[in-house]
Amino acid sequence: MKKIPTLFKRDPDNRSRVLPELAVDLPDGAVATVKYDGSCIMFDGSDWWKRREVRPGKPIPEQFDEVDHDPVTGKRQGWVPIGDGPKDKWFREVTDGLTELEPATFEAVGPHFQGNPHGYTHDVPMQHGLIGMPDAPTDYDGLRIYLGDLNGEGIVWWANEEPVAKIKRRDFGYPWPIPTEATS
C-alpha cells in the first residue's frame, strides 16, 4: 500500500500541521472511512504480509516487495512476509486461521499494536475502507471542528477501491491518542 496523501497542504514551517489549501482534489463519489491506528497488514489471497518502510541507508529486507519510493525523502514503502520469528508473534496471532478472505489490506489493532489507542480488549484485523463516515465534511473549517470531536485517529477517503486522501486529528493540532483523565 502506498502512502496516502494528506488532503490539505502541509505547513512548511510546521510539517505536522496542514494549511487550508487542498493538496488533493477528492474524486466525485469519494467515501470517507475510519482511519485506524495500528500496524498495516495485507492478505494477498494466500499469505499475510506486513507493511515495511525502509529509510535511506538502511538495508532492504529479504523478500521486500517495494510498492513506493519517495525520491525526496529516499524512503521506500513495501511489504515483507509475516514470519515465524518472535518479532512477528502478534501479527501471526491476529491473522491465525484467516485464510478464506478476499485479498485486502487491514490494520492490526489492539493491545499489541501502537499502544492500543482505540482501547480494544484483544487484537483484531480491521479491513481498510469498510467503516463509513457519511457525515464527515471535506472543507478545512468543517474538518477542523469534526476532527476535534472525533474519538479516532482520522479519516481516509476511498474511490475506486483505493485510498485517495487522509486527514488526522494531529494535522489540526489535536492530540492522538486522546489523553484520558486521571481518576482519583
Side-chain angles (χ1 to χ4, degrees):
M1 169 178 273
K2 291 183 179 185
K3 287 294 250 180
I4 305 166
T6 300
L7 183 61
F8 296 103
K9 291 183 180 176
R10 296 260 173 221
D11 180 344
D13 296 326
N14 183 352
R15 298 280 302 151
S16 65
R17 301 279 168 86
V18 292
L19 300 171
E21 296 85 33
L22 282 175
V24 176
D25 287 322
L26 291 175
D28 288 340
V31 176
T33 66
V34 172
K35 181 176 188 330
Y36 293 102
D37 188 3
S39 295
C40 188
I41 55 178
M42 174 184 65
F43 184 65
D44 67 7
S46 60
D47 296 307
W48 284 95
W49 300 70
K50 62 183 179 179
R51 186 174 181 277
R52 179 74 185 266
E53 180 176 89
V54 179
R55 295 178 183 264
K58 298 292 182 184
I60 295 175
E62 238 181 85
Q63 296 181 289
F64 180 70
D65 183 10
E66 186 172 310
V67 176
D68 197 21
H69 175 248
D70 184 337
V72 175
T73 65
K75 293 177 183 176
R76 300 174 182 279
Q77 287 82 33
W79 301 100
V80 293
I82 293 175
D84 295 329
K87 68 181 179 183
D88 286 345
K89 173 184 178 178
W90 302 117
F91 288 107
R92 285 192 309 277
E93 287 198 13
V94 82
T95 60
D96 186 41
L98 299 176
T99 57
E100 300 297 319
L101 302 171
E102 294 294 317
T105 60
F106 300 77
E107 200 77 6
V109 295
H112 298 102
F113 298 97
Q114 300 296 349
N116 195 22
H118 299 286
Y120 288 101
T121 57
H122 58 282
D123 297 331
V124 293
M126 302 296 288
Q127 187 171 337
H128 291 137
L130 289 186
I131 308 297
M133 303 174 79
D135 59 340
T138 56
D139 64 290
Y140 183 87
D141 289 328
L143 278 167
R144 183 177 45 76
I145 294 166
Y146 187 86
L147 289 168
D149 293 333
L150 182 68
N151 186 12
E153 184 186 21
I155 304 168
V156 176
W157 284 269
W158 289 72
N160 301 316
E161 299 182 20
E162 293 290 328
V164 293
K166 69 179 176 191
I167 197 78
K168 299 182 282 189
R169 288 176 49 88
R170 287 184 176 166
D171 293 329
F172 286 94
Y174 299 120
W176 179 255
I178 298 171
T180 57
E181 292 183 38
T183 57
S184 351

